[in-house]
Amino acid sequence: MSKTVELAKHLEKLHINNMYKNDFYWTWDKTDEELDAIFTVADALRDLRERNKSTRIFDSGLGISIFRDNSTRTRFSFASACNLLGLTVQDLDEKKSQIAHGETVRETANMVSFMADVIGIRDDMFIGEGHKYQKTFMDAVAEGYQNDILEQRPTLVNLQCDVDHPTQCMADMLHIIHHFGGVENLKGKKIAMTWAYSPSYGKPLSVPQGVIGLMTRFGMDVVLAHPEGYDVMPEVEEIAKKNAEATGGSYKKVTTMEEAFKDADIVYPKSWAPFAAMEERTKLYQAGDEDGIDALEKKLLEQNAQHKDWTCSEDMMKLTKDGKALYMHCLPADITGLSCKEGEVDNSVFDRYIDPLYKEASYKPYIIAAMIMMSKVKDPVAALMAMDAEDDKRKKF
Amino acid sequence: MSKTVELAKHLEKLHINNMYKNDFYWTWDKTDEELDAIFTVADALRDLRERNKSTRIFDSGLGISIFRDNSTRTRFSFASACNLLGLTVQDLDEKKSQIAHGETVRETANMVSFMADVIGIRDDMFIGEGHKYQKTFMDAVAEGYQNDILEQRPTLVNLQCDVDHPTQCMADMLHIIHHFGGVENLKGKKIAMTWAYSPSYGKPLSVPQGVIGLMTRFGMDVVLAHPEGYDVMPEVEEIAKKNAEATGGSYKKVTTMEEAFKDADIVYPKSWAPFAAMEERTKLYQAGDEDGIDALEKKLLEQNAQHKDWTCSEDMMKLTKDGKALYMHCLPADITGLSCKEGEVDNSVFDRYIDPLYKEASYKPYIIAAMIMMSKVKDPVAALMAMDAEDDKRKKF
Amino acid sequence: MSKTVELAKHLEKLHINNMYKNDFYWTWDKTDEELDAIFTVADALRDLRERNKSTRIFDSGLGISIFRDNSTRTRFSFASACNLLGLTVQDLDEKKSQIAHGETVRETANMVSFMADVIGIRDDMFIGEGHKYQKTFMDAVAEGYQNDILEQRPTLVNLQCDVDHPTQCMADMLHIIHHFGGVENLKGKKIAMTWAYSPSYGKPLSVPQGVIGLMTRFGMDVVLAHPEGYDVMPEVEEIAKKNAEATGGSYKKVTTMEEAFKDADIVYPKSWAPFAAMEERTKLYQAGDEDGIDALEKKLLEQNAQHKDWTCSEDMMKLTKDGKALYMHCLPADITGLSCKEGEVDNSVFDRYIDPLYKEASYKPYIIAAMIMMSKVKDPVAALMAMDAEDDKRKKF
């Protein structure tokens, strides 16, 4: 029995009826079994590809990508996932487009979706805006489908919003699962999601939020640490707490990196902007107050600079379980002495973890492909079994 | 009998031999039966896609797009059409290209066409230039094919030139046909193609020209209205007149929006630049006279501003047949109180027609796909019948 | 027996085991039989396409392109080649990417290669840099594959580096082979690779280097000519000398265009930058010395301007064998009186050779496709035979 057939048999036991024709906004919208289904299908698709099996679901069709912020990793992951399933990516480059001043999201959404099977959106820059944009967009295509404008309702993969970064955090989580040899081994493992200093300004909060919102569902002890003023969205902290209660794990906030790193099995040190400042920035942008933005940026850089000791140094790593915690990062990291003078992580630490870091990133295309497949295929078990059985080869010769 | 088979049977009766291996520049180059064929194939392709049938004609092949002006709708429509038929879009982004200063169109045309099946070009900015560019391009690839440089002669889909915007107007027309329940119901229907105020400068004339050049072929009463100085190209008016004579319809020019809207069944209020000014602008650009262009632009904006009463207001709509004419626009519209202070149309009017407007736009990908198919497939009847009969699915699972 | 079957039978006799899973950096890394294999497969793929046979090797898969310099011809050739074989191009546009300041090539290479079958890189601007970048990139993906980060090791097609431009020169060579009716007719033919004046600054040396490094392998008399100070890399000249010795041809350097053109069967007059100046420029860029770069540019333009007599005029052409040498250029050329006041070639000369010039360019997509196929397909003979025999059509209807 191939690995894919085993995984398909596992998938068969899960309650996943809600996933078909549905969107993926936030991991906490999904049940545990639904997340399990994504992990399972991601592993199966990887196995199929490794065995040169064709995983084309689509003979033709479009995956629309909208990156309202720069991206390499997520862009290539989305492109890879679409290609794996037979979809062609059509990117909406807002700079090259005739999107009129004041054109509604509703109109744009319909205009680019006439033959779209899936929509991937990254909109992470402004607190209170990213998710709203995605929601407005998807409401519009749902309405377009209802009114016979669109042949099908495309489904959403959230490629990062202001609240969550589910493709990243699900890839992170699958990496953890495989690293520790299965979900069953995660109970009681300590993971430290900590702020870290970076010379840059205004990184999104969606990674730390996504991590505490997801990792608290596996019985782990999740610790969040950051300097004063760098709080994440309180709603997401509430979710983390509830998750922890439900799964026998824990969620705790501490005030130093040292405390977070102490005996941790996993560390995820990463810079982000203070929530309050991000809210302020959103208002300044909406008001078009360039001077205000510059002043805020300056203030934030100064504020950041007071916390240069929040860095994943060799000494800090020594505090972790046997000095050997699994170091994680969504990449690119600000690496002290390599990409910047003082940053999130010592070069020697980063360098020691390059293989697991790249492996972590390597799950993202499969996670995205699994999200697409679960939303577009009514019977994913049958589909996996058929792909496993077929003679079709990805590479024919 | 499926809808597609019915449509194929209708297609069989039409004289369409001239379409194979031929280009689509202007609707008035085509016979009535040829236009009928485009509508028929567009409807069939839509039906096939709705029924999850594979419509891939190409196993591999390229559709080259050249947008010399920004575009969202047409870009996505062309991409969708190519994808539907199995072609991959390769965009010639002149900014990223090594198109040498002084490089001939002849050279560029050959260099990008080695494996091109179809070429889509948008070049609408300068009177006397857009069509010329397309023609020079296509002459070059025809010569390249003759001289064994290219394996095949790609065919052209005009994605908007200075004279016509056939993919837009054909989509508009198919919308009208379906809205009124068939071509046979259009006789005597009044359509008002009118200028409307917009705070922007220099919109192409190809939409009003395309509309009067096409809509006059269906026995309708076509009325063009614009303020003094906003004439369209006289050659196209000649075509409109001849069309009207031949089909028992009429073509008329009036001087007020009110007169045009009076008892109209369809209204198409839209801004465009004055022809003479566009000719002047072309000359200024060719001379590289930036100051002249700025001065012209200022003059035109002032000239526009004298006609703010040319707007599709609720009051204006009341003049139409039962106050309920079908409102049309190629989008994006300048919407008073939504995207601008004063524009082409009242927000309340626009909002009431959103569904038909989006539906109108939704025909464009199928129109383009039909244009491609008619130019590339020798026996489109057999192709449609085969697609209808085959087990191949667009979405396999 | 079809042409493809004949070519496959020829391919069968060649020793080509080293090509599978291997990269294409420089032609001089490859044996004569390996180059023969590329030409053979290129001709076969062209024959298959002309006969509407499907040449898809891949059901899905990505070809990653990285253009660190502008490109039209090579970009479209790579896109065409990928499409011909069933790969989708995903372009790494460094401007749109979140490539962090200081991000290592190693990281970028892995991040874009999770599902990459082939990588095409153009990096030709700085002496000592282009090849190094490609090598670092490919070492990183090899390591990523070894460490289970990547499912497969993608293979490289060098789309132009600072040393060689193999896709161009191989296309040039295939053009020569067909023009003279076969490799066996090239013995003793004289080819003049000469510098020519252009009003522009700093064109790469990779074409002249690639030409002398490749054309010396076919028993031809290869002559390089340039003004003082425009030497090419001495390592490549060494290769040219050794090639010539091994094949019974010759490699010679002369100091005037006249001497080079005298009785030449083929002329390839083209501008390039002086090697020493390119080395200096590389250092200035690394130091971020903008003033130094401007000063260097000015100096080089002045230096260039002293050699305006190095131009492929009608008089110069008269010196060649019967005044009818085959004129070659990688395009775009700087054409006197057409694209510039004084340039590399007279308009009348260029115009007379347009068909062969475009034909020359038309081989590039097939050369690239052949390079990809030889690196990805274990048994290319069987693959060609199967493609030839199959009913699959590229254009189905």
Side-chain angles (χ1 to χ4, degrees):
Chain A
M1 189 160 58
S2 75
K3 192 173 163 187
T4 293
V5 171
E6 264 179 66
L7 290 161
K9 282 180 186 301
H10 175 68
L11 186 63
E12 204 163 16
K13 294 180 212 144
L14 304 174
H15 294 86
I16 50 176
N17 294 338
N18 268 337
M19 303 189 86
Y20 182 52
K21 296 194 174 180
N22 228 322
D23 303 310
F24 207 112
Y25 287 104
W26 299 337
T27 59
W28 44 89
D29 291 337
K30 305 293 174 190
T31 67
D32 290 350
E33 298 203 5
E34 287 170 349
L35 298 187
D36 190 350
I38 300 290
F39 294 138
T40 304
V41 172
D43 280 345
L45 289 172
R46 191 163 193 154
D47 175 61
L48 288 165
R49 182 163 164 121
E50 282 174 0
R51 289 160 54 218
N52 196 31
K53 294 278 182 182
S54 171
T55 54
R56 278 191 83 133
I57 291 169
F58 296 94
D59 174 68
S60 70
L62 296 178
I64 308 298
S65 62
I66 305 176
F67 288 92
R68 311 189 89 198
D69 190 10
N70 281 340
S71 170
T72 308
R73 283 146 196 79
T74 306
R75 185 185 288 279
F76 272 73
S77 293
F78 184 72
S80 299
C82 283
N83 176 264
L84 186 72
L85 303 177
L87 294 174
T88 295
V89 172
Q90 178 67 14
D91 188 47
L92 176 60
D93 183 339
E94 296 184 336
K95 276 164 241 145
K96 266 197 244 172
S97 297
Q98 193 197 18
I99 294 179
H101 175 73
E103 177 175 326
T104 58
V105 177
R106 184 182 180 185
E107 185 164 317
T108 307
N110 274 280
M111 294 305 120
V112 303
S113 297
F114 294 131
M115 291 192 190
D117 288 288
V118 65
I119 311 277
I121 303 178
R122 177 172 200 168
D123 188 342
D124 58 3
M125 296 294 282
F126 302 111
I127 289 285
E129 293 299 317
H131 175 66
K132 202 161 76 185
Y133 178 86
Q134 295 187 1
K135 193 78 177 52
T136 310
F137 195 104
M138 294 314 295
D139 286 349
V141 296
E143 207 186 325
Y145 173 63
Q146 259 179 326
N147 296 332
D148 280 331
I149 290 152
L150 307 178
E151 252 78 63
Q152 71 292 311
R153 196 187 79 84
T155 51
L156 174 83
V157 176
N158 170 9
L159 298 177
Q160 188 167 6
C161 72
D162 54 323
V163 183
D164 193 7
H165 192 347
T167 65
Q168 178 66 47
C169 298
M170 290 290 284
D172 293 343
M173 194 62 219
L174 189 51
H175 175 57
I176 291 175
I177 292 170
H178 285 304
H179 184 85
F180 288 97
V183 166
E184 59 279 13
N185 300 327
L186 299 183
K187 203 132 224 141
K189 290 275 181 297
K190 179 178 176 183
I191 172 167
M193 178 75 237
T194 78
W195 191 87
Y197 171 73
S198 144
S200 89
Y201 147 81
K203 297 199 179 181
L205 283 72
S206 45
V207 168
Q209 290 170 173
V211 164
I212 64 167
L214 176 64
M215 308 308 185
T216 43
R217 297 174 76 161
F218 298 86
M220 294 197 281
D221 295 324
V222 178
V223 176
L224 179 71
H226 56 74
E228 217 191 307
Y230 288 83
D231 300 77
V232 298
M233 293 172 75
E235 306 89 297
V236 183
E237 283 209 77
E238 279 312 305
I239 286 159
K241 279 174 207 161
K242 276 184 199 155
N243 284 345
E245 277 162 30
T247 63
S250 69
Y251 171 70
K252 198 164 68 165
K253 208 151 95 168
V254 299
T255 55
T256 66
M257 204 177 196
E258 285 79 359
E259 195 179 343
F261 268 50
K262 186 85 182 74
D263 290 324
D265 297 279
I266 306 164
V267 294
Y268 204 135
K270 200 211 159 297
S271 177
W272 66 83
F275 174 50
M278 286 296 93
E279 278 193 312
E280 198 181 333
R281 185 169 73 145
T282 303
K283 277 178 209 146
L284 292 168
Y285 262 97
Q286 282 163 345
D289 181 352
E290 292 291 338
D291 289 346
I293 291 163
D294 288 349
L296 176 66
E297 182 168 344
K298 207 174 151 228
K299 200 186 83 182
L300 285 177
L301 285 174
E302 280 165 14
Q303 188 181 342
N304 275 359
Q306 289 164 17
H307 307 295
K308 291 189 180 176
D309 51 325
W310 287 71
T311 186
C312 185
S313 62
E314 289 288 2
D315 280 345
M316 206 62 92
M317 282 302 287
K318 281 182 193 143
L319 299 172
T320 68
K321 175 78 70 56
D322 304 326
K324 287 183 177 167
L326 178 65
Y327 166 78
M328 295 181 74
H329 199 284
C330 54
L331 305 179
D334 289 311
I335 306 164
T336 303
L338 181 68
S339 59
C340 58
K341 224 180 111 206
E342 294 166 296
E344 297 169 310
V345 58
D346 275 9
N347 193 8
S348 61
V349 173
F350 187 85
D351 200 62
R352 193 159 67 242
Y353 286 92
I354 276 189
D355 278 347
L357 281 166
Y358 292 179
K359 187 96 192 176
E360 177 187 354
S362 77
Y363 290 108
K364 204 190 273 178
Y366 294 102
I367 287 289
I368 296 175
M371 289 175 176
I372 296 173
M373 181 160 159
M374 291 307 296
S375 73
K376 302 305 290 184
V377 172
K378 202 173 177 181
D379 188 346
V381 174
L384 289 179
M385 299 296 270
M387 287 169 180
D388 186 82
E390 263 174 48
D391 280 339
D392 286 6
K393 291 174 185 163
R394 183 186 81 83
K395 185 161 68 110
K396 231 169 143 182
F397 300 106
Chain B
M1 188 160 59
S2 75
K3 192 172 162 187
T4 293
V5 172
E6 264 178 67
L7 290 161
K9 282 181 186 300
H10 175 67
L11 187 62
E12 205 163 15
K13 294 180 213 145
L14 304 174
H15 293 86
I16 51 176
N17 294 337
N18 268 336
M19 303 189 86
Y20 181 53
K21 298 195 172 178
N22 227 323
D23 303 310
F24 207 112
Y25 287 103
W26 300 337
T27 60
W28 42 90
D29 292 336
K30 306 290 174 191
T31 67
D32 290 351
E33 298 204 4
E34 287 171 348
L35 297 187
D36 190 350
I38 300 289
F39 294 138
T40 304
V41 172
D43 279 346
L45 289 172
R46 190 163 194 153
D47 176 61
L48 288 165
R49 181 162 167 124
E50 282 173 1
R51 290 159 55 217
N52 195 32
K53 294 278 182 183
S54 171
T55 53
R56 278 191 83 134
I57 291 169
F58 297 94
D59 173 69
S60 70
L62 296 177
I64 308 298
S65 62
I66 304 176
F67 287 93
R68 312 190 88 195
D69 191 10
N70 281 339
S71 170
T72 307
R73 285 147 195 79
T74 305
R75 185 185 288 280
F76 272 73
S77 293
F78 184 71
S80 299
C82 283
N83 176 265
L84 186 73
L85 303 178
L87 295 174
T88 296
V89 172
Q90 178 67 15
D91 188 46
L92 175 62
D93 183 340
E94 295 184 338
K95 276 164 240 145
K96 265 198 244 170
S97 296
Q98 193 197 15
I99 295 179
H101 174 73
E103 178 175 327
T104 58
V105 176
R106 183 183 180 184
E107 185 164 316
T108 307
N110 275 281
M111 294 306 120
V112 302
S113 298
F114 294 131
M115 291 192 191
D117 287 289
V118 65
I119 311 277
I121 302 177
R122 178 173 199 167
D123 188 340
D124 57 3
M125 296 292 282
F126 303 110
I127 289 285
E129 295 298 316
H131 174 68
K132 200 161 75 183
Y133 178 85
Q134 295 187 0
K135 193 78 177 52
T136 309
F137 195 103
M138 296 313 294
D139 286 348
V141 295
E143 206 186 325
Y145 173 63
Q146 258 179 325
N147 297 331
D148 280 331
I149 290 153
L150 308 177
E151 251 77 64
Q152 71 291 311
R153 196 186 79 86
T155 52
L156 174 85
V157 176
N158 170 8
L159 297 176
Q160 188 168 3
C161 70
D162 54 324
V163 183
D164 194 6
H165 191 348
T167 66
Q168 179 65 46
C169 298
M170 289 290 284
D172 294 343
M173 194 62 220
L174 189 51
H175 175 56
I176 291 174
I177 291 170
H178 285 305
H179 184 85
F180 288 97
V183 167
E184 59 278 12
N185 300 326
L186 299 182
K187 203 130 224 139
K189 291 274 181 298
K190 178 179 177 183
I191 173 167
M193 178 75 238
T194 79
W195 191 87
Y197 171 72
S198 144
S200 88
Y201 146 82
K203 296 197 181 184
L205 283 73
S206 46
V207 169
Q209 289 170 174
V211 165
I212 64 167
L214 176 64
M215 308 309 186
T216 42
R217 297 174 76 161
F218 299 87
M220 294 197 282
D221 295 323
V222 178
V223 176
L224 179 72
H226 56 74
E228 216 191 308
Y230 289 82
D231 301 77
V232 299
M233 292 171 76
E235 305 89 297
V236 183
E237 283 210 76
E238 279 312 305
I239 287 159
K241 279 175 207 162
K242 277 184 199 156
N243 284 344
E245 278 163 32
T247 63
S250 70
Y251 171 71
K252 197 163 68 165
K253 209 151 96 169
V254 300
T255 56
T256 67
M257 203 177 196
E258 286 79 358
E259 193 179 346
F261 267 50
K262 186 86 182 73
D263 291 323
D265 298 279
I266 306 163
V267 294
Y268 204 136
K270 200 211 159 297
S271 177
W272 66 82
F275 174 51
M278 287 295 95
E279 279 194 310
E280 196 181 334
R281 186 170 72 146
T282 303
K283 277 178 209 148
L284 291 168
Y285 262 96
Q286 283 163 345
D289 182 353
E290 291 292 337
D291 290 346
I293 292 163
D294 288 349
L296 176 67
E297 181 166 345
K298 209 173 150 230
K299 200 187 85 184
L300 284 178
L301 286 173
E302 280 164 14
Q303 186 181 343
N304 274 359
Q306 289 163 19
H307 308 294
K308 290 190 181 177
D309 51 326
W310 286 70
T311 184
C312 184
S313 62
E314 289 288 3
D315 280 346
M316 205 63 90
M317 281 302 288
K318 279 180 195 144
L319 300 173
T320 68
K321 174 79 70 57
D322 304 326
K324 286 183 175 165
L326 178 65
Y327 166 78
M328 295 181 73
H329 199 284
C330 52
L331 304 177
D334 289 311
I335 306 164
T336 303
L338 181 69
S339 60
C340 58
K341 227 180 108 207
E342 295 166 295
E344 296 170 312
V345 58
D346 275 9
N347 193 8
S348 62
V349 174
F350 187 85
D351 199 61
R352 193 160 67 244
Y353 286 92
I354 276 191
D355 278 348
L357 281 167
Y358 292 179
K359 187 98 191 172
E360 176 187 354
S362 77
Y363 291 109
K364 204 190 274 180
Y366 295 102
I367 288 288
I368 296 176
M371 288 175 177
I372 296 174
M373 182 161 158
M374 291 307 295
S375 73
K376 303 304 290 185
V377 172
K378 200 171 178 182
D379 187 346
V381 175
L384 289 178
M385 299 297 270
M387 287 169 180
D388 187 82
E390 265 175 45
D391 280 339
D392 286 7
K393 291 173 184 165
R394 184 186 80 83
K395 185 161 68 110
K396 228 169 146 183
F397 300 107
Chain C
M1 188 162 59
S2 76
K3 191 174 163 184
T4 293
V5 172
E6 263 178 67
L7 290 162
K9 282 181 187 301
H10 175 66
L11 186 62
E12 206 164 13
K13 292 181 214 145
L14 303 174
H15 293 86
I16 51 176
N17 294 338
N18 269 337
M19 303 189 87
Y20 182 52
K21 298 194 173 181
N22 227 323
D23 303 309
F24 207 112
Y25 286 103
W26 300 338
T27 58
W28 43 90
D29 292 336
K30 306 291 174 191
T31 66
D32 291 350
E33 297 203 6
E34 288 171 349
L35 298 187
D36 189 351
I38 299 291
F39 294 136
T40 304
V41 172
D43 279 345
L45 290 171
R46 190 162 194 154
D47 176 61
L48 287 165
R49 183 164 166 122
E50 281 174 1
R51 289 160 55 218
N52 196 32
K53 295 278 180 180
S54 171
T55 52
R56 277 192 83 134
I57 291 169
F58 297 94
D59 174 68
S60 71
L62 295 178
I64 308 299
S65 62
I66 304 175
F67 287 93
R68 312 191 87 195
D69 190 10
N70 282 340
S71 171
T72 307
R73 284 146 195 80
T74 305
R75 185 185 290 279
F76 273 72
S77 293
F78 184 71
S80 299
C82 283
N83 177 264
L84 186 72
L85 302 177
L87 295 174
T88 296
V89 172
Q90 179 67 15
D91 188 47
L92 175 61
D93 183 339
E94 296 185 336
K95 276 164 240 146
K96 267 198 243 170
S97 297
Q98 193 196 17
I99 295 180
H101 175 73
E103 178 176 326
T104 57
V105 176
R106 183 182 179 184
E107 185 163 317
T108 307
N110 274 280
M111 294 305 119
V112 303
S113 298
F114 294 133
M115 292 192 191
D117 287 290
V118 66
I119 311 278
I121 302 178
R122 177 173 199 167
D123 189 340
D124 57 3
M125 296 292 283
F126 302 110
I127 288 287
E129 294 299 315
H131 175 67
K132 200 160 77 185
Y133 178 85
Q134 295 188 359
K135 193 76 178 54
T136 309
F137 195 104
M138 295 314 294
D139 285 348
V141 297
E143 205 185 326
Y145 173 64
Q146 257 179 327
N147 297 332
D148 280 331
I149 290 153
L150 309 178
E151 252 76 66
Q152 71 292 311
R153 195 186 80 86
T155 51
L156 173 84
V157 176
N158 170 9
L159 298 176
Q160 188 167 5
C161 71
D162 53 324
V163 183
D164 194 7
H165 192 348
T167 65
Q168 179 65 47
C169 298
M170 290 289 284
D172 293 342
M173 194 62 220
L174 189 51
H175 175 56
I176 291 174
I177 292 170
H178 286 305
H179 183 85
F180 288 97
V183 167
E184 60 277 14
N185 301 326
L186 299 182
K187 203 131 222 136
K189 290 273 182 298
K190 178 179 177 185
I191 172 167
M193 177 75 237
T194 78
W195 190 87
Y197 170 74
S198 146
S200 87
Y201 147 82
K203 297 198 179 179
L205 284 72
S206 45
V207 169
Q209 290 170 172
V211 165
I212 63 166
L214 176 63
M215 308 310 185
T216 42
R217 296 174 76 163
F218 299 85
M220 293 197 282
D221 295 324
V222 178
V223 176
L224 178 72
H226 56 75
E228 216 190 309
Y230 288 82
D231 300 77
V232 298
M233 292 172 76
E235 306 90 296
V236 184
E237 284 209 76
E238 279 313 304
I239 287 158
K241 279 174 207 162
K242 276 184 199 155
N243 285 345
E245 277 163 31
T247 62
S250 68
Y251 171 70
K252 196 163 69 166
K253 208 151 95 168
V254 300
T255 55
T256 66
M257 203 177 196
E258 284 79 359
E259 193 179 345
F261 267 50
K262 186 84 182 73
D263 290 323
D265 298 278
I266 306 164
V267 294
Y268 204 136
K270 199 210 159 297
S271 178
W272 66 82
F275 173 50
M278 286 296 94
E279 279 194 310
E280 197 181 333
R281 186 170 75 146
T282 302
K283 279 179 208 147
L284 292 168
Y285 262 97
Q286 282 163 346
D289 181 354
E290 292 291 338
D291 289 347
I293 292 163
D294 288 349
L296 176 66
E297 183 167 343
K298 208 173 150 231
K299 200 186 84 183
L300 285 178
L301 286 173
E302 279 165 15
Q303 187 182 342
N304 274 359
Q306 290 164 18
H307 307 293
K308 291 189 180 176
D309 51 325
W310 286 72
T311 186
C312 185
S313 61
E314 290 288 2
D315 280 345
M316 205 63 91
M317 284 301 288
K318 279 180 194 144
L319 300 174
T320 69
K321 174 79 69 59
D322 303 326
K324 286 183 177 168
L326 179 65
Y327 166 79
M328 296 181 72
H329 199 284
C330 53
L331 303 180
D334 289 310
I335 306 164
T336 303
L338 181 69
S339 60
C340 58
K341 225 180 110 208
E342 295 166 295
E344 296 170 311
V345 58
D346 274 10
N347 193 9
S348 61
V349 174
F350 186 85
D351 200 62
R352 193 160 66 242
Y353 285 92
I354 275 190
D355 279 348
L357 281 166
Y358 292 180
K359 187 97 191 176
E360 176 186 354
S362 77
Y363 291 108
K364 205 191 272 180
Y366 295 102
I367 287 288
I368 296 176
M371 288 174 177
I372 296 174
M373 182 161 160
M374 291 307 295
S375 73
K376 302 305 291 186
V377 172
K378 203 173 174 180
D379 187 346
V381 174
L384 289 179
M385 298 296 271
M387 288 169 179
D388 186 83
E390 264 173 47
D391 279 340
D392 286 8
K393 290 174 185 165
R394 184 186 80 83
K395 186 162 67 112
K396 230 169 144 181
F397 300 107

